[in-house]
Amino acid sequence: MKEHLFNAKAKIYDIARPRYAQEMLDFLKKNEKLTNKKIADVGAGTGIFSKQLYEIGNEIFAIEPNDDMRNVMYEKMKNEDNFHIINGNAEATGLKENSVDVVCAAQAFHWFDYKAFAKECLRIMKKGGKVYLTWNNSDAGSFDAGSGFRRACSIYRLGRSCAYGLSDGWCCRFGYRNGSGLDYLLGY
């Protein structure tokens, strides 16, 4: 990631960046059973998505390389149990092997070294873990998460794309199969 690009911008970023659609969070909680999980939110920024995942009942490991972003997140979440803020990045989270159920990246995937991120996900996830890539999109009728989604599809050799169009939020779910890698997208 190019974490220095966000120096001295964290407070403005936190105010201006939209929150993720409640409909998407409800979907993740109900359909994906994304509650009571240990979740690594990679490229967590000021903790916008991390906080929302925490509020639906998860233990959060918010991974963020930028000091200013982490400081804003800390001010919001410093009194919360089971919310851990970690100085790390997508390629080196600092988490122990097999320590999380889920890895998320919200609005951040395009900054990552995709292959190194996939390797790190496989290292930190428990067997059967999942990776969720999430973007906000103001137009529910179209999906263009920049080149991030298209790159994910090609990097992980996905034969089809699957995005959940949930009002103004989108979520792509990548699977982890018996330690063989992030090589398929689970569709519905």
Side-chain angles (χ1 to χ4, degrees):
M1 289 180 66
K2 297 179 181 177
E3 60 271 1
H4 64 280
L5 295 175
F6 294 99
N7 287 349
K9 298 174 184 157
K11 288 181 182 177
I12 293 169
Y13 178 99
D14 192 57
I15 293 166
R17 180 67 83 179
R19 286 8 186 199
Y20 294 87
Q22 186 60 47
E23 184 182 7
M24 181 180 73
L25 293 161
D26 293 343
F27 178 88
L28 291 173
K29 184 176 179 180
K30 180 181 176 190
N31 296 67
E32 296 292 309
K33 310 296 186 232
L34 203 61
T35 189
N36 297 314
K37 304 285 186 201
K38 290 185 177 194
I39 299 177
D41 184 15
V42 181
T46 60
I48 293 169
F49 193 53
S50 303
K51 183 176 187 281
Q52 289 181 286
L53 291 170
Y54 178 80
E55 290 171 344
I56 61 171
N58 297 291
E59 181 174 1
I60 302 300
F61 298 86
I63 314 300
E64 174 55 45
N66 183 278
D67 294 337
D68 292 341
M69 298 288 232
R70 280 194 322 277
N71 289 336
V72 169
M73 186 177 358
Y74 175 78
E75 286 305 313
K76 291 190 296 188
M77 303 305 293
K78 64 185 172 190
N79 296 320
E80 302 299 332
D81 292 334
N82 295 320
F83 194 99
H84 317 281
I85 301 170
I86 299 167
N87 181 3
N89 61 44
E91 300 80 20
T93 62
L95 296 175
K96 294 179 182 177
E97 289 183 21
N98 304 309
S99 60
V100 296
D101 303 299
V102 172
V103 176
C104 291
Q107 299 293 129
F109 182 72
H110 62 284
W111 295 108
F112 301 169
D113 174 325
Y114 308 125
K115 290 181 182 181
F117 172 63
K119 185 176 179 180
E120 182 68 354
C121 288
L122 292 173
R123 188 186 72 76
I124 66 174
M125 282 191 308
K126 297 174 186 174
K127 187 173 183 177
K130 295 177 183 155
V131 176
Y132 294 84
L133 304 178
T134 305
W135 290 271
N136 267 324
N137 186 0
S138 60
D139 179 4
S142 68
F143 177 67
D144 183 3
S147 58
F149 181 72
R150 289 187 301 277
R151 285 185 188 156
C153 290
S154 83
I155 291 292
Y156 300 121
R157 294 174 184 82
L158 305 173
R160 58 196 164 128
S161 62
C162 176
Y164 307 119
L166 303 171
S167 94
D168 60 352
W170 290 87
C171 179
C172 307
R173 180 180 76 171
F174 291 84
Y176 169 73
R177 180 172 47 201
N178 300 324
S180 64
L182 300 171
D183 60 355
Y184 68 106
L185 180 66
L186 299 175
Y188 293 92

